[in-house]
Amino acid sequence: MKVHIIGGGIIGLCSAYYLRKEGFEVEVIDQVRKGSASDGNAGMIVPSHFIPLAAPGVIAQGVRWMFKAKSPFYIKPRLSLELASWLWQFYRACDQKKVENAMPVLRDYHLLSKELYKELSTQPGFEFAFEEKGLMMLFKTPKVGHEEAETAEIAHSLGMEARVLDATGVSKVETGTRTDVLGGVYYPGDAHLYPNQLVIQLETWLRDNGVAFHCNSGVKGLLASNGKISGILTQNGETIACDHVVIAAGVWSAGLLGPLGVNCLLQDGKGYSYTLPALNQRPAVPTILTEARVAVTPMGQDLRIGGTLEISHLSNKISRPRFEAIAEALPAYYPDIQPEMPALQNVWHGFRPCSPDGLPYLGRSKKYSNLVVATGHAMMGLSLGPATGKVVSELIRQQQPSIDVRLFEVERF
Ligand SMILES: Cc1cc2nc3c(=O)[nH]c(=O)nc-3n(C[C@H](O)[C@H](O)[C@H](O)COP(=O)(O)OP(=O)(O)OC[C@H]3O[C@@H](n4cnc5c(N)ncnc54)[C@H](O)[C@@H]3O)c2cc1C
């Protein structure tokens, strides 16, 4: 039985890995598009991120940010029915009850993924700087400190460890460099890795273990008949016959699903990062600089800084003010790290595939019995990669998924 996976980002590669391990013949089709999010991201594995993007309070904050050139969030205004229905569903999802229902499910999803990463990191051929050093949420203002302490309380109620620290407490955990903060919340259960190494090693393992890669042409569309996907049409005019299809094409998945009558709402959450090689000193612990919404991750010998969420309609243009805001946050929180502003050509960008309710789409389509969709992981796709891949293989095998996927239904909007 053959499975075709459309998209070779972290979700497609992890799906291929678990399917191949179960003995399936697998082919990955990838168009290699600029803006794939899976290598330049912040590499954080985050059980602490159990609150979905769409949550009460987010809209008011988002509207305030829209008017600031250096803010970490922006929606490029445009007349679009697709954007309007995404925003409407986002508004509907910012509901306390919906968020409460999602929290334990997301916690379990991340925890499973972390265990799978741990296991993968011990396999021959894999050395992707996986480390379990936790995650620090640093803050400079009492208001944000209060919000973070509230989140820590919720984490406790979900059975997760979260330590609320003052500045002295922070300096005992963050031993790599001095911080200029009011305090922090430390989540010891989080982990991190070097995503560029991970994706290369996954692809190498897959090729060595018989997975075919079809990279010379992307997918133009899918052919369907009698409630099944019957063929994959490539951009160079080829039609590939198929048994099972997995759509894991990140933000581009919506464009493949729409013509099939599957309304998969997705917007691009464009983000930026840059990587500093071997500094004299650097943070020891991965960190979110909370007011600035900037992620800082030590990766091997390097340090990666990333942030911003810009709904840009897949624009590859880099906003200098927003990118400068990311770079300026670093010395504001770590006064002994004063790197030069990186040149624009060294700035990476990627499109996070964002669903309106901040939850992934993971499941078998109701319309097409041989179609599985795995996308919409927004800011958590790296973290949730292996658990997603495992669930994809379970869905194809008609087995009970290892996590509860009911909230992730593909046709939920
Ligand atoms: C700045 C930044 C920091 C981040 N930090 C983190 C983090 O610390 N932790 C975390 O968990 N997540 C993080 N993320 C989010 C994470 O990177 C994404 O959720 C994840 O990479 C999405 O993976 P994907 O495989 O779904 O999509 P992608 O990586 O975008 O892959 C989709 C693939 O599909 C291919 N494709 C598209 N269209 C077609 C087509 N028609 N035919 C064939 N192939 C096609 C593309 O070429 C691409 O390779 C971050 C994102 C950004 C931008």
Side-chain angles (χ1 to χ4, degrees), residues 36-104:
S36 163
S38 294
D39 52 2
N41 62 61
M44 293 175 174
I45 301 157
V46 280
S48 62
H49 282 37
F50 50 79
I51 299 180
L53 188 60
V58 168
I59 292 181
Q61 176 68 76
V63 170
R64 283 196 293 277
W65 275 334
M66 279 289 288
F67 297 97
K68 292 187 183 156
K70 289 197 166 189
S71 76
F73 173 75
Y74 181 67
I75 301 180
K76 189 175 169 192
R78 65 181 198 274
L79 278 177
S80 151
L81 194 59
E82 198 191 312
L83 177 61
S85 41
W86 190 95
L87 288 169
W88 169 241
Q89 294 298 346
F90 183 86
Y91 167 76
R92 292 191 59 201
C94 290
D95 170 85
Q96 189 66 29
K97 194 79 209 128
K98 288 184 179 162
V99 170
E100 278 170 15
N101 285 342
M103 287 188 317

Side-chain angles (χ1 to χ4, degrees), residues 112-131:
L112 171 65
S113 227
K114 190 181 96 170
E115 282 316 303
L116 295 172
Y117 268 131
K118 202 168 170 174
E119 194 182 305
L120 187 64
S121 70
T122 63
Q123 300 303 305
F126 289 99
E127 171 43 67
F128 45 83
F130 173 79
E131 291 191 86

Side-chain angles (χ1 to χ4, degrees), residues 5-13 29-46 49 110 117 195 214 217-221 235 248-253 256 269-273 288 295 297 299 304-308 326 348-353 374-385:
I5 299 175
I6 305 173
I10 187 64
I11 300 298
L13 293 176
I29 309 176
D30 194 301
Q31 186 174 356
V32 193
R33 300 183 86 145
K34 200 166 181 189
S36 163
S38 294
D39 52 2
N41 62 61
M44 293 175 174
I45 301 157
V46 280
H49 282 37
H110 283 290
Y117 268 131
H214 185 117
S217 165
V219 173
K220 191 172 171 194
Q235 269 146 2
V251 69
W252 297 277
S253 304
L256 295 170
K270 183 167 67 175
Y272 306 132
S273 79
I288 306 283
T297 317
M299 289 180 185
R304 181 163 294 167
I305 300 100
T308 291
I326 297 175
W348 171 91
H349 75 278
F351 300 115
R352 305 173 184 93
T375 186
H377 295 80
M379 357 253 291
M380 312 180 287
L382 186 275
S383 185
L384 298 174

Side-chain angles (χ1 to χ4, degrees), residues 127-141:
E127 171 43 67
F128 45 83
F130 173 79
E131 291 191 86
E132 292 181 273
K133 288 194 172 168
L135 175 75
M136 182 75 85
M137 306 293 293
L138 287 181
F139 54 84
K140 286 169 98 61
T141 60

Side-chain angles (χ1 to χ4, degrees), residues 9 26 91 119 122 166 204 207 228 231 246 272 287 292 297 385 391 408:
V26 180
Y91 167 76
E119 194 182 305
T122 63
D166 60 11
T204 305
R207 286 185 189 275
K228 289 186 102 174
V246 177
Y272 306 132
T287 302
T297 317
V391 168
F408 309 146

